[in-house]
Each structure stands twice: as structure tokens, then as C-alpha cells.
């Protein structure tokens, strides 16, 4: 039995971007259920069509992509369980991207992304993985997490429910280590590390590794400079 087709919404105020991305996705068998020119249209499109993934521009007229992401992923009347958001941006270390990640987005793509990378990213996020490599996530968060002007989005969680081992895993995860690297560092099997990461996400009510890294910095578990030798 074939798996259901992957479904996506494209939100961008530039018609050419929407059309181009739509053609790329459609050519790979990904159904574009709706397009949106601003955040309000994106929220409405997600509510109506229940896509797997949203490609979300940040800077749009009216409601921007950050607020739209919060509404889609926030669990309120506009929320949609199971939908993932990928942020589209022109600049890779934009503080707006940081705000979107803390709002629950699963990663970001530059708008000059290749067609192959775009399709791979949509499929990766649909599978439940975070799009960003941990090292890229860490650089972004180090730059913005402790600035006074950084947006606060309620990612502060009580870490007391984590075991000492889970705290250790979270701290190392935030330094940019992959699951394989975590396994080597902690002398654990990759399966055990994956279990620890899953429990951390579940206990802290986090969507993916991106939010786990954000939380590690914003909670003070790890400093913006990180432990020595993690660059």
C-alpha cells in the first residue's frame, strides 16, 4: 500500500517564489494544497487543507511569518497537529529566523536553495526530523539567545524532571553533536542515545532538536560560548 502523498502549503508575498517552489515540489510528486501571500492567508490555508509541511516566508505584509508560525504550531484554534514549518529567508543568521525557531519551526532554508535540497528538506521535515544541522542551530542561537532584544517565546521549561543522564545528553546535544557523536562521547549505543533524546523532547514538550538546543541556551544549561572545544 502506497504512503499518502506529501502535502505542502507555500506562503510568500512574491508570486514568482510561490510559483517556482510549487513547480519544483509538484515535479517530485508533492501536492501543493494552497498558496498564501501573507501570514493570515497561510494560517487559513493550513486550517483548511491540513498540510504536512508549510514553507513560510518571514517578511510578509500584514501578519508576518513569525506570528503565522506561532498560530499554526501553538495549539490554539488556529493550530494544526502534525504540521511542520520550514522558514524561508534571504539571510541565514537573521534574528527573525531565531524567533521563528523558538516559535516551533523545524528549520530554515535560504531562498536560493537548489531544487534537490528543497525537496529533500520538505521530505526530511515531514518525517519528523529537524532540518538544521546542530552546529548551524548552535551558531544561530549563540548569536541571539542572550541579547536583550531577543524575542522571548516561552521556551523556558523546568528541567528538574530530567535525569542526570538526560541533562548530560541535552547539554552535549546543544554543543552541536549528532546522535552518533553523542553515542561515542557517552559510550552508549546510537539506539540508547535516540531513546534519551526522545524522552527529553517528550518530558519538555518540545517538537524537535531545534527547540531542545534553543531551550538549553535560554535556560542557562549551556552558555553562549559553549564548552571548550565545541566549535
Amino acid at each position: 500500500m502506497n504512503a499518502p502523498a506529501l502535502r505542502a502549503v507555500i506562503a510568500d508575498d512574491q508570486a514568482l517564489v510561490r510559483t517556482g517552489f510549487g513547480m519544483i515540489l509538484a515535479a517530485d510528486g508533492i501536492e501543493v494544497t494552497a498558496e498564501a501571500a501573507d501570514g493570515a492567508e497561510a494560517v487559513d490555508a493550513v486550517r483548511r487543507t491540513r498540510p504536512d509541511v508549510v514553507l513560510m516566508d518571514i517578511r510578509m505584509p500584514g501578519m508576518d511569518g513569525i506570528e503565522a508560525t506561532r498560530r499554526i504550531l501553538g495549539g490554539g484554534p488556529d493550530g494544526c497537529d502534525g504540521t511542520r514549518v520550514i522558514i524561508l529567508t534571504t539571510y541565514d543568521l537573521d534574528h527573525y529566523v531565531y524567533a521563528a525557531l523558538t516559535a516551533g519551526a523545524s528549520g530554515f532554508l535560504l531562498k536560493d536553495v537548489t531544487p534537490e535540497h528543497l525537496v529533500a528538506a520538505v521530505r526530511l521535515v515531514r518525517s519528523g526530523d529537524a532540518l538544521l544541522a546542530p552546529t548551524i542551530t548552535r551558531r544561530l542561537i549563540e548569536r541571539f539567545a542572550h541579547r536583550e532584544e531577543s524575542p522571548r517565546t516561552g521556551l523556558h521549561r523546568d528541567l528538574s524532571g530530567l535525569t542526570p543522564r538526560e541533562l548530560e545528553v541535552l547539554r552535549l546535544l546543544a554543543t552541536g553533536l549528532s546522535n552518533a557523536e553523542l553515542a561515542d562521547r557517552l559510550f552508549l549505543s546510537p539506539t540508547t542515545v535516540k531513546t534519551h533524546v526522545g524522552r527529553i523532547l517528550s518530558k519538555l514538550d518540545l517538537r524537535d532538536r531545534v527547540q531542545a538546543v534553543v531551550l538549553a541556551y535560554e535556560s542557562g544549561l549551556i552558555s553562549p560560548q559553549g564548552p571548550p572545544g565545541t566549535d
Side-chain angles (χ1 to χ4, degrees):
M1 186 175 184
N2 293 331
L6 197 160
R7 306 167 77 246
V9 164
I10 302 172
D12 194 289
D13 61 347
Q14 299 181 50
L16 284 176
V17 172
R18 299 196 305 271
T19 299
F21 280 11
M23 291 175 64
I24 291 169
L25 297 181
D28 202 72
I30 298 171
E31 178 187 356
V32 178
T33 62
E35 296 181 4
D38 59 42
E41 288 184 9
V43 172
D44 180 67
V46 169
R47 189 191 304 117
R48 287 186 292 102
T49 68
R50 301 292 181 181
D52 300 294
V53 177
V54 181
L55 294 175
M56 181 78 75
D57 189 20
I58 291 181
R59 301 176 186 180
M60 295 183 288
M63 184 190 298
D64 64 19
I66 298 171
E67 179 59 26
T69 297
R70 288 194 186 107
R71 296 194 183 194
I72 291 167
L73 303 178
D78 295 324
C80 184
D81 290 340
T83 295
R84 300 274 175 159
V85 174
I86 299 174
I87 296 300
L88 299 173
T89 181
T90 306
Y91 307 102
D92 61 347
L93 288 181
D94 189 317
H95 74 275
Y96 293 109
V97 175
Y98 172 73
L101 294 178
T102 58
S106 294
F108 71 86
L109 289 173
L110 298 180
K111 287 189 179 181
D112 61 359
V113 62
T114 65
E116 296 79 12
H117 191 186
L118 175 66
V119 169
V122 170
R123 294 193 178 280
L124 178 69
V125 167
R126 191 268 189 106
S127 72
D129 290 326
L131 177 58
L132 296 183
T135 51
I136 298 174
T137 311
R138 179 169 60 86
R139 288 203 307 269
L140 179 71
I141 294 164
E142 283 179 351
R143 181 166 175 177
F144 296 110
H146 293 281
R147 291 187 176 185
E148 290 183 2
E149 66 269 25
S150 294
R152 293 303 172 191
T153 54
L155 263 187
H156 302 285
R157 302 280 199 271
D158 182 2
L159 303 182
S160 63
L162 300 183
T163 67
R165 175 64 92 181
E166 288 165 351
L167 282 171
E168 185 178 21
V169 169
L170 177 57
R171 187 179 293 110
L172 291 173
L173 184 155
T175 69
L177 298 185
S178 66
N179 278 4
E181 291 167 333
L182 283 168
D184 288 341
R185 178 75 65 88
L186 298 173
F187 303 102
L188 299 172
S189 71
T191 300
T192 299
V193 168
K194 185 175 181 180
T195 298
H196 281 311
V197 172
R199 286 175 178 167
I200 290 167
L201 299 182
S202 177
K203 286 183 177 182
L204 299 178
D205 193 25
L206 301 173
R207 296 179 66 89
D208 52 36
R209 293 171 69 103
V210 172
Q211 285 202 313
V213 177
V214 171
L215 175 62
Y217 282 92
E218 292 206 332
S219 66
L221 182 65
I222 186 170
S223 70
Q225 291 74 32
T230 57
D231 288 334

